[in-house]
Amino acid sequence: MGKAGKALKQVLETYEITQNRLAVVMETRRSNVGRWYHEQIDPTGDTIADIVSALKKLNPAAAEMFVELYLGQLLKPDE
C-alpha cells in the first residue's frame, strides 16, 4: 500500500490539517481518512480527486503538495 497514504500523511502534517477536518470537508468518516493516512487501504481514483478538492478548500498549497507527492514523477518532463 502506499503512495497516496504517504503523500496524505506528509501533507496533513506539514499544513497542520487534522484527519477530522479533512473528513468533514470531504463529507466522509474520519475512520476512512485514518485508514488512508495509516496506509491500511488505498483511496480509489475518484477518492484521490475528492481529497485534492477538499485540500484545495482547506489550503490550495496543501493540494498542490499532495498532487506533487502523489504524481510527481508522472508530471515531470522526460529527461
Side-chain angles (χ1 to χ4, degrees):
M1 303 255 164
K3 195 169 186 180
K6 287 181 189 353
L8 182 61
K9 183 174 186 173
Q10 188 170 345
V11 167
L12 295 185
E13 289 176 357
T14 299
Y15 289 94
E16 298 179 349
I17 299 169
T18 66
Q19 293 176 39
N20 189 62
R21 184 71 186 128
L22 181 61
V24 168
V25 174
M26 289 182 69
E27 299 180 358
T28 192
R29 294 184 180 123
R30 197 216 57 83
S31 61
N32 290 335
V33 176
R35 283 188 223 122
W36 306 324
Y37 182 92
H38 292 290
E39 301 175 50
Q40 294 171 338
I41 61 170
D42 287 327
T44 65
D46 287 342
T47 303
I48 294 291
D50 292 341
I51 291 169
V52 173
S53 293
L55 288 171
K56 278 185 183 179
K57 291 177 185 174
L58 294 168
N59 186 328
E64 287 180 30
M65 182 180 180
F66 178 79
V67 170
E68 175 65 27
L69 290 170
Y70 185 61
L71 298 174
Q73 292 300 318
L74 294 174
L75 298 176
K76 292 181 182 175
D78 293 335
E79 295 178 5

